[in-house]
Amino acid sequence: MDKAKLEKGATRIGAFWRNHGFIEAKTGDPEISQEGDWFYVSFDIKEGDRYKCATVKLSGDLIEDEDFFQEMLEVNKE
């Protein structure tokens, strides 16, 4: 197994969880098992609390109107 690929996979899994509101998510070390010709890779994931954002307010010395920037935001309202 390529250790760099496993580390990249762990990083991507952690990013997925953080992008879904689990900002304290931690991905454990991979556990690798083999069954016949197949290898299985498992990661222990500690999610932590899930955070949600209801609204986003922009303020300060904006170079454009706040509405201009709000249109660029992608807020998933689950």
Side-chain angles (χ1 to χ4, degrees), residues 2-43:
D2 186 342
K3 185 173 179 159
K5 286 183 181 179
L6 290 174
E7 289 174 1
K8 185 176 181 179
T11 300
R12 293 177 79 182
I13 290 169
F16 173 85
W17 284 95
R18 284 185 291 282
N19 286 338
H20 287 84
F22 297 91
I23 60 175
E24 298 170 352
K26 295 187 180 8
T27 307
D29 292 331
E31 293 182 23
I32 303 167
S33 61
Q34 182 177 5
E35 293 181 24
D37 293 337
W38 292 90
F39 285 95
Y40 294 89
V41 180
S42 301
F43 293 91

Side-chain angles (χ1 to χ4, degrees), residues 15 21 25 27-28 52-53 55 57:
T27 307
K52 294 184 178 186
C53 176
T55 60
K57 175 84 172 125

Side-chain angles (χ1 to χ4, degrees), residues 57-76:
K57 175 84 172 125
L58 303 171
S59 63
D61 296 330
L62 302 175
I63 58 175
E64 294 283 344
D65 186 50
E66 180 183 0
D67 292 335
F68 173 81
F69 294 108
Q70 288 285 356
E71 290 176 8
M72 288 190 242
L73 294 175
E74 291 183 29
V75 179
N76 185 1

